[in-house]
Amino acid sequence: MFKCDGFRRRRKAERPAEILEAAFDAFAARGYAATRLEDVAARAGVTKGTIYLYFSTKEKLFEEMVRSHSAGLLADADAILGRIEGASANRLRGFLRFLYGRCVTDRRGREILRFMIADGKSFPHLVAEHYRDFVLPLLGMVSGLVDQGVAAGEFRADLPRETVRVVIAPTLFLSVIRLIFGDAPPVDEEAYVDAHIELAMTGLLAAPT
Amino acid sequence: MFKCDGFRRRRKAERPAEILEAAFDAFAARGYAATRLEDVAARAGVTKGTIYLYFSTKEKLFEEMVRSHSAGLLADADAILGRIEGASANRLRGFLRFLYGRCVTDRRGREILRFMIADGKSFPHLVAEHYRDFVLPLLGMVSGLVDQGVAAGEFRADLPRETVRVVIAPTLFLSVIRLIFGDAPPVDEEAYVDAHIELAMTGLLAAPT
DNA sequence: CTTTATTGACTTTCCAGTCAGTCATCAATA
DNA sequence: TATTGATGACTGACTGGAAAGTCAATAAAG
């Protein structure tokens, strides 16, 4: 009655994830339209037919791939946020560094952004999901931090609307730079991150009275 | 001996520009790989064969299109810069607003960015050109402004390296938002621009002594 | 022997690139 | 002014190859 794990049965359980991983690499390397399913298959160590056992079309494969790879980008952001101690300025600093590590430097986060920019028009539902599940929660977290700082009198009380987006914008800049120039971007990334945090803090902090 | 300008002769002179314009629209709408040359031809009001009278391959057409559309993005930036009067803070403000108008809000500038992100890997030479002819000069101009402000004692003297990139990063953010969400982005753009300039200035200005 | 995950040859569709032919224009001639 | 022939911009049917999607056959596990 109980099925023992044989080789093929085990593969069957692992195949979808293997294919999704291969699909990520392939689509990231050449873009949706230019990627052949045979490329994906070869990367996954199977043949094209196998892909169609698990995914009905190229489009569905792409959608599933984006979903599986964008899930978890913000997974433990809340936890991280809870773990950073101290004043609001310090917590915001820590969270920006988390963002750089998780969503900018990490290849996965960057390539998701490329998919949104390059192929979002063909997958509007994916864009809407990404906005709902990633962008909005992220904005919420940073807004919370900033509001907290304002309430504590630590940040300026007269911050203009949309300040939060301006604060995180430079993280996206670095993502884009890496997308365009690859892993040897014409930017000193460490200095850039420092400059960003420094400038954001100076702009946010209340003038000493 | 002298050839008079007939209808077809006049078209011949205008064809390349017409085709490049159609190519911009087509490639911007669907991306390089997914665009058919017949789409381009239809948009230009000709047939596919005509395109090959002026451009040898799809790749060459794409390259020429990007070149012709990125030229002029910074054309009169120097002039603008010279025309903005006043203190460094005011000049920088003005230049940032120029950037938003010319390179972010303007569809042409945005789509060039999309080409770089989506298809730059297939056209590395184009990326290098764009960096040399657009990014570097732009950085130079802003660096000049900031240095001037520092020299005048108007801006902080201890600005970290890479500050200039951080200062213009939010403009790129807005470009990307428009690329992903189209012409109805989930951002109050006016408020965003104001917040950007406000925050950048607060971060740059020397503390009143 | 049965079940089923996997294969790879096959079909179909699509598109970059070609080229022999068309037709508008012009210039020469009547 | 009308005719004719040369020029060359433009066309669209065609070719070859590539890639999405299918399915009967295979072979591994039980």
Side-chain angles (χ1 to χ4, degrees), chain A residues 53-202:
Chain A
L53 294 178
Y54 300 98
F55 304 94
S56 58
T57 64
K58 188 185 179 186
E59 290 188 7
K60 285 272 192 285
L61 169 64
F62 183 75
E63 288 175 10
E64 291 294 309
M65 180 277 288
V66 170
R67 284 201 188 95
S68 73
H69 280 75
S70 58
L73 275 182
L74 277 185
D76 36 22
D78 277 314
I80 297 280
L81 208 48
R83 212 172 303 141
I84 307 174
E85 309 276 333
S88 296
N90 195 49
R91 298 186 73 213
L92 182 55
R93 251 189 279 267
F95 191 70
L96 286 176
R97 287 197 186 278
F98 161 79
L99 271 186
Y100 275 110
R102 170 65 60 84
C103 304
V104 178
T105 309
D106 178 53
R107 181 157 164 269
R108 181 163 304 193
R110 267 183 286 143
E111 297 297 343
I112 297 290
L113 176 63
R114 173 154 24 220
F115 296 142
M116 294 298 143
I117 295 172
D119 302 301
K121 274 184 186 165
S122 312
F123 299 90
H125 189 63
L126 228 43
V127 172
E129 273 180 46
H130 185 256
Y131 183 69
R132 189 194 60 207
D133 299 339
F134 179 76
V135 180
L136 279 186
L138 177 66
L139 285 171
M141 292 180 199
V142 180
S143 291
L145 273 177
V146 171
D147 289 347
Q148 184 198 38
V150 171
E154 202 176 339
F155 293 156
R156 298 166 48 194
D158 61 339
L159 290 173
R161 258 186 317 144
E162 302 288 355
T163 293
V164 167
R165 282 169 223 256
V166 175
V167 168
I168 56 176
T171 65
L172 191 118
F173 176 89
L174 209 54
S175 285
V176 169
I177 291 293
R178 294 266 279 240
L179 285 178
I180 295 178
F181 296 100
D183 280 327
V187 177
D188 179 338
E189 296 192 337
E190 261 188 77
Y192 177 88
V193 173
D194 292 342
H196 170 203
I197 293 177
E198 172 71 15
L199 202 73
M201 290 308 153
T202 318

